[in-house]
Amino acid sequence: MSIIRFNALHETLHRKPIKIIEGEKRSSLFGKNVFNKNAMQQYLTRAAYDSVMDAIVHGNKIDRKIADQVAVSMKDWAMSKGATHYTHWFQPLTGATAEKHDAFFESINGSLAVEKFDGEQLVQQEPDASSFPNGGIRNTFEARGYTAWDPTSPAFVYETTLCIPTIFVSYTGEALDNKTPLLKALQALDLAATGVCKYFDKNVSKVNATLGWEQEYFLIDEALALSRPDITMTGRTLLGHLPAKGQQLDDHYFGTIPTRAMSFMQDLEQECMLLGIPVKTRHNEVAPNQFELAPIFEEANLAVDHNSLLMDVMEKVSKRHHFKVLFHEKPFAGINGSAKHSNWSLYSDTGVNLLSPGKTPMKNLQFLTFFVNTIKAVYEYQELLRASIASASNDCRLGSNEAPSAIMSVFIGSQLSQVLDELENVTKGKLSPQEKTDLKLNIIGKIPEILLDNTDQNRTSPFAFTGNKFEFRAVGSWSNCATPMTVLNTIVAKQLKEFKIEVDKLIDTKNLKKDEAVFNVLREYIKASKKIRFEGDGYGEAWEKEAKKRGLFHNKTTPDALKVKVSKAVVDLYEEMEVMNKTEIEARYEIEMAEYTKKIQIESRVLADISRNHVVPTAIIYQNTLLENTKNLKEIFGEEYQNIAKEQIELIMVISNHITEINALVNKMTEERKKANTQPVVKSAALYCNKVKPYFEEIRYHCDKLETMVDDNLWPLTKYRELLFTN
Ligand code: ADP
Ligand code: MG
């Protein structure tokens, strides 16, 4: 074993899990470091509390005097939790989180030192943010950007800093972050969904989207991960032969959690509890060293913030446990990838889950309304939904026969399919009394009963109905779920808005009763969106063919998928729903294309480096050993050596072959990279995708072959079996 690997493995095997002592009850830790309702009630005056609650529920402005009061109380509360600094915490378009810490400390006249924090500092900041991606927005407008307090996501203290969730916008008001469009999409959804809810219940005055994400990840020992330049630089392995044992025995899924991983999880969960992230579920995933963590679902904006925060906390906690946490969607070829299943539903402020069938036919008509409108929205905007989950890393996972394909489809289960099929066939226009009874009793009335035993979950579907929510499974583990959530809520908002217009028209012009009008429009929607419904096996070629026949879109790669984001239909959609304007849309497109390009560029460089500077030299050393051996055999045995050293000679030739191929392929790949680098970003992304990336597999093939023939003592890269089975 090479000295690098030996040292790394030695370090790993001698690591003991850190003992986590749990003193207090978990529930008593919950939200301790969050400026939540409880804390606000304790620290704020009644007027200030009411004003903040009003901002949270109705989106009303908080006036400056009140903001000053809130700031002072927030500071006092934060200092009681040991905070010395504060930061506006935001999500720039890098997909990660950003923060710049300022101390509360201020000195007056150079002598008197005090802790100060006022409304102005709470409400708005101007970070020098010129290095965040802006897709040209700040070049065309103003150089400055500012952050503004989002009172709907509570402030929290983490590592002695008061973190205030904020939006991040340019001086001229264009959103430079992921949160602003999400908040606007949620607002659009609220408006449209509340309007539709009023058909069924006049008391509804607000609808919230909910999100429950399931975060999958790998835990790799830090020393082993650091010994691999590809993991360190790209978050995934670019080389590595499959081990004899992978996940084929299915012995990891839901198995006993390894002690070191368990200690990491306990530590992480404690941190999450303090930060008010309601983590609930933990288990082993399918692949060795792969795990999942899921919280209790929350309002979507808060859930997105919590997921971003969680990923930061996971990085920090993993370091304490000498792990490297991998969020990449496909860190290991041939082994299960990681997702961030995003469970989504709609709740009215009267406490009803709009995607949960009710007890009465009327409640079920409401359920069907939101259910069918969601399916129709996915059908109409399938390409945009696909684009919302596109990234260089998720491309490695989608469609690789253990993850949903890049074709968007909706799974609803055989029984609900039957309900929709029956509804589709009821007469057009006014319903006869008999039909009304049939509808209520036979079709709509039996939904809850059906759902009770509707357990046929289809794991291959990218977007599945799971009883009382939709589960968007194509979302990647590394992504910020703000983007898919923005798209999903926008398209459903648009669909519901259209639905209401059509229903109202039928009531006004055709003199139909409300539920008949609702039903008539739904029936047309069921027909119109039928093609997106798919109950079969979503893996494999048969579905690809079938989807093509149905006219569904299959945008396999990120550059292909992203194009739709700047199409006229999408720009119109976002502008109509007031989620983003054209400048913001185009900026995001450019940023995402550039990010894709850079990711593939980095991977290509790292691959060239490790194949040329690690693999080839090692192969040559081993080849020399073989040559030496052959020469010695010849010296002793004369011409007879040809028989005796047959294997060695063959191996020498094979190794030469692989070395030649690797060198030639790396050269060609580098040439393609050079060409791609001279092009503007959209063209460059396409070249990286179609001309550079295809070399990855080819180069890998030769390197992985060499791994199987070169002396294990010499091989410099930590092997899959060591990465995946040591902890
Ligand atoms: P699995 O998909 O692994 O079988 P569950 O269906 O129990 O697991 O739940 C997965 C996630 O779905 C959890 O994070 C949970 O909080 C979330 N979830 C459950 N109900 C809703 C809902 N109405 N809206 C959003 N998320 C939900
Ligand atoms: Mg799930």
mmCIF file of all heavy atoms in Angstrom, residues 449-469:
data_model
loop_
_atom_site.group_PDB
_atom_site.id
_atom_site.type_symbol
_atom_site.label_atom_id
_atom_site.label_comp_id
_atom_site.label_asym_id
_atom_site.label_seq_id
_atom_site.Cartn_x
_atom_site.Cartn_y
_atom_site.Cartn_z
ATOM 1 N N GLU A 449 -61.100 6.689 1.428
ATOM 2 C CA GLU A 449 -61.075 5.251 1.625
ATOM 3 C C GLU A 449 -59.989 4.618 0.729
ATOM 4 O O GLU A 449 -59.191 3.800 1.156
ATOM 5 C CB GLU A 449 -62.458 4.762 1.222
ATOM 6 C CG GLU A 449 -62.814 3.351 1.527
ATOM 7 C CD GLU A 449 -64.138 3.049 0.800
ATOM 8 O OE1 GLU A 449 -64.997 3.960 0.723
ATOM 9 O OE2 GLU A 449 -64.267 1.956 0.291
ATOM 10 N N ILE A 450 -59.958 5.074 -0.494
ATOM 11 C CA ILE A 450 -58.970 4.572 -1.450
ATOM 12 C C ILE A 450 -57.561 4.861 -0.969
ATOM 13 O O ILE A 450 -56.680 4.029 -0.993
ATOM 14 C CB ILE A 450 -59.144 5.297 -2.805
ATOM 15 C CG1 ILE A 450 -60.417 4.856 -3.485
ATOM 16 C CG2 ILE A 450 -57.950 5.053 -3.701
ATOM 17 C CD1 ILE A 450 -60.695 5.638 -4.752
ATOM 18 N N LEU A 451 -57.386 6.098 -0.472
ATOM 19 C CA LEU A 451 -56.029 6.505 -0.137
ATOM 20 C C LEU A 451 -55.458 5.743 1.042
ATOM 21 O O LEU A 451 -54.257 5.595 1.164
ATOM 22 C CB LEU A 451 -55.981 8.002 0.124
ATOM 23 C CG LEU A 451 -55.998 8.829 -1.157
ATOM 24 C CD1 LEU A 451 -55.888 10.300 -0.830
ATOM 25 C CD2 LEU A 451 -54.859 8.430 -2.089
ATOM 26 N N LEU A 452 -56.347 5.261 1.891
ATOM 27 C CA LEU A 452 -55.871 4.525 3.049
ATOM 28 C C LEU A 452 -55.003 3.346 2.660
ATOM 29 O O LEU A 452 -54.004 3.055 3.296
ATOM 30 C CB LEU A 452 -57.058 4.044 3.889
ATOM 31 C CG LEU A 452 -57.672 5.101 4.792
ATOM 32 C CD1 LEU A 452 -58.829 4.509 5.576
ATOM 33 C CD2 LEU A 452 -56.619 5.671 5.745
ATOM 34 N N ASP A 453 -55.409 2.665 1.589
ATOM 35 C CA ASP A 453 -54.574 1.516 1.221
ATOM 36 C C ASP A 453 -53.778 1.758 -0.068
ATOM 37 O O ASP A 453 -53.354 0.848 -0.739
ATOM 38 C CB ASP A 453 -55.412 0.229 1.124
ATOM 39 C CG ASP A 453 -56.588 0.393 0.199
ATOM 40 O OD1 ASP A 453 -56.543 1.297 -0.662
ATOM 41 O OD2 ASP A 453 -57.538 -0.365 0.345
ATOM 42 N N ASN A 454 -53.619 3.038 -0.379
ATOM 43 C CA ASN A 454 -52.841 3.352 -1.565
ATOM 44 C C ASN A 454 -51.360 3.433 -1.200
ATOM 45 O O ASN A 454 -50.818 4.493 -0.953
ATOM 46 C CB ASN A 454 -53.318 4.686 -2.141
ATOM 47 C CG ASN A 454 -52.545 5.060 -3.386
ATOM 48 O OD1 ASN A 454 -51.839 4.237 -3.959
ATOM 49 N ND2 ASN A 454 -52.661 6.304 -3.803
ATOM 50 N N THR A 455 -50.733 2.302 -1.157
ATOM 51 C CA THR A 455 -49.359 2.288 -0.666
ATOM 52 C C THR A 455 -48.332 2.027 -1.760
ATOM 53 O O THR A 455 -47.155 1.911 -1.480
ATOM 54 C CB THR A 455 -49.184 1.222 0.424
ATOM 55 O OG1 THR A 455 -49.784 0.027 -0.049
ATOM 56 C CG2 THR A 455 -49.801 1.633 1.733
ATOM 57 N N ASP A 456 -48.821 1.924 -3.013
ATOM 58 C CA ASP A 456 -47.857 1.573 -4.069
ATOM 59 C C ASP A 456 -47.004 2.775 -4.451
ATOM 60 O O ASP A 456 -47.245 3.439 -5.433
ATOM 61 C CB ASP A 456 -48.557 0.985 -5.293
ATOM 62 C CG ASP A 456 -49.706 1.841 -5.797
ATOM 63 O OD1 ASP A 456 -50.248 2.643 -5.011
ATOM 64 O OD2 ASP A 456 -50.046 1.721 -6.963
ATOM 65 N N GLN A 457 -46.022 3.097 -3.634
ATOM 66 C CA GLN A 457 -45.100 4.189 -3.939
ATOM 67 C C GLN A 457 -44.195 3.764 -5.085
ATOM 68 O O GLN A 457 -43.630 2.696 -5.058
ATOM 69 C CB GLN A 457 -44.239 4.488 -2.721
ATOM 70 C CG GLN A 457 -44.919 5.398 -1.742
ATOM 71 C CD GLN A 457 -43.903 6.160 -0.912
ATOM 72 O OE1 GLN A 457 -42.770 6.373 -1.339
ATOM 73 N NE2 GLN A 457 -44.305 6.571 0.272
ATOM 74 N N ASN A 458 -44.077 4.632 -6.053
ATOM 75 C CA ASN A 458 -43.219 4.316 -7.181
ATOM 76 C C ASN A 458 -41.919 5.094 -7.032
ATOM 77 O O ASN A 458 -41.881 6.296 -7.218
ATOM 78 C CB ASN A 458 -43.941 4.713 -8.474
ATOM 79 C CG ASN A 458 -43.133 4.372 -9.704
ATOM 80 O OD1 ASN A 458 -41.911 4.254 -9.641
ATOM 81 N ND2 ASN A 458 -43.801 4.214 -10.822
ATOM 82 N N ARG A 459 -40.869 4.396 -6.663
ATOM 83 C CA ARG A 459 -39.601 5.071 -6.366
ATOM 84 C C ARG A 459 -38.935 5.634 -7.621
ATOM 85 O O ARG A 459 -37.971 6.367 -7.533
ATOM 86 C CB ARG A 459 -38.618 4.122 -5.657
ATOM 87 C CG ARG A 459 -39.141 3.428 -4.425
ATOM 88 C CD ARG A 459 -39.709 4.334 -3.371
ATOM 89 N NE ARG A 459 -38.740 5.254 -2.770
ATOM 90 C CZ ARG A 459 -39.038 6.122 -1.808
ATOM 91 N NH1 ARG A 459 -40.272 6.202 -1.345
ATOM 92 N NH2 ARG A 459 -38.118 6.919 -1.313
ATOM 93 N N THR A 460 -39.422 5.256 -8.795
ATOM 94 C CA THR A 460 -38.738 5.693 -10.017
ATOM 95 C C THR A 460 -39.282 7.018 -10.539
ATOM 96 O O THR A 460 -38.782 7.541 -11.512
ATOM 97 C CB THR A 460 -38.867 4.642 -11.139
ATOM 98 O OG1 THR A 460 -40.234 4.624 -11.597
ATOM 99 C CG2 THR A 460 -38.471 3.265 -10.658
ATOM 100 N N SER A 461 -40.324 7.542 -9.916
ATOM 101 C CA SER A 461 -40.960 8.757 -10.436
ATOM 102 C C SER A 461 -40.279 10.024 -9.921
ATOM 103 O O SER A 461 -39.928 10.111 -8.747
ATOM 104 C CB SER A 461 -42.428 8.778 -10.019
ATOM 105 O OG SER A 461 -43.017 9.987 -10.415
ATOM 106 N N PRO A 462 -40.102 11.024 -10.788
ATOM 107 C CA PRO A 462 -39.487 12.272 -10.329
ATOM 108 C C PRO A 462 -40.440 13.124 -9.502
ATOM 109 O O PRO A 462 -40.009 13.991 -8.750
ATOM 110 C CB PRO A 462 -39.125 12.999 -11.624
ATOM 111 C CG PRO A 462 -40.021 12.442 -12.666
ATOM 112 C CD PRO A 462 -40.328 11.027 -12.246
ATOM 113 N N PHE A 463 -41.754 12.886 -9.648
ATOM 114 C CA PHE A 463 -42.725 13.741 -8.968
ATOM 115 C C PHE A 463 -43.920 12.867 -8.615
ATOM 116 O O PHE A 463 -44.723 12.518 -9.465
ATOM 117 C CB PHE A 463 -43.141 14.870 -9.927
ATOM 118 C CG PHE A 463 -43.784 16.045 -9.249
ATOM 119 C CD1 PHE A 463 -43.019 17.079 -8.745
ATOM 120 C CD2 PHE A 463 -45.159 16.127 -9.123
ATOM 121 C CE1 PHE A 463 -43.606 18.175 -8.122
ATOM 122 C CE2 PHE A 463 -45.756 17.221 -8.498
ATOM 123 C CZ PHE A 463 -44.978 18.247 -8.007
ATOM 124 N N ALA A 464 -44.006 12.480 -7.348
ATOM 125 C CA ALA A 464 -44.991 11.465 -6.982
ATOM 126 C C ALA A 464 -45.942 11.980 -5.918
ATOM 127 O O ALA A 464 -45.532 12.697 -4.996
ATOM 128 C CB ALA A 464 -44.275 10.229 -6.462
ATOM 129 N N PHE A 465 -47.209 11.590 -6.038
ATOM 130 C CA PHE A 465 -48.167 11.919 -4.990
ATOM 131 C C PHE A 465 -48.073 10.841 -3.921
ATOM 132 O O PHE A 465 -48.135 9.648 -4.226
ATOM 133 C CB PHE A 465 -49.584 11.981 -5.562
ATOM 134 C CG PHE A 465 -50.583 12.419 -4.535
ATOM 135 C CD1 PHE A 465 -50.591 13.728 -4.082
ATOM 136 C CD2 PHE A 465 -51.496 11.525 -3.994
ATOM 137 C CE1 PHE A 465 -51.490 14.148 -3.108
ATOM 138 C CE2 PHE A 465 -52.403 11.931 -3.019
ATOM 139 C CZ PHE A 465 -52.395 13.249 -2.572
ATOM 140 N N THR A 466 -47.893 11.252 -2.667
ATOM 141 C CA THR A 466 -47.702 10.253 -1.617
ATOM 142 C C THR A 466 -48.752 10.405 -0.509
ATOM 143 O O THR A 466 -48.430 10.488 0.665
ATOM 144 C CB THR A 466 -46.273 10.316 -1.029
ATOM 145 O OG1 THR A 466 -45.985 11.680 -0.709
ATOM 146 C CG2 THR A 466 -45.230 9.833 -2.002
ATOM 147 N N GLY A 467 -50.017 10.478 -0.933
ATOM 148 C CA GLY A 467 -51.115 10.415 0.036
ATOM 149 C C GLY A 467 -51.666 11.754 0.491
ATOM 150 O O GLY A 467 -52.859 11.971 0.525
ATOM 151 N N ASN A 468 -50.761 12.685 0.877
ATOM 152 C CA ASN A 468 -51.235 14.006 1.286
ATOM 153 C C ASN A 468 -50.252 15.101 0.903
ATOM 154 O O ASN A 468 -50.248 16.189 1.454
ATOM 155 C CB ASN A 468 -51.520 14.039 2.791
ATOM 156 C CG ASN A 468 -50.288 13.677 3.594
ATOM 157 O OD1 ASN A 468 -49.211 13.442 3.035
ATOM 158 N ND2 ASN A 468 -50.430 13.639 4.903
ATOM 159 N N LYS A 469 -49.373 14.786 -0.038
ATOM 160 C CA LYS A 469 -48.348 15.736 -0.489
ATOM 161 C C LYS A 469 -47.740 15.214 -1.780
ATOM 162 O O LYS A 469 -47.893 14.024 -2.107
ATOM 163 C CB LYS A 469 -47.250 15.854 0.562
ATOM 164 C CG LYS A 469 -46.535 14.517 0.833
ATOM 165 C CD LYS A 469 -45.628 14.619 2.046
ATOM 166 C CE LYS A 469 -44.745 13.405 2.233
ATOM 167 N NZ LYS A 469 -45.428 12.141 2.578
#
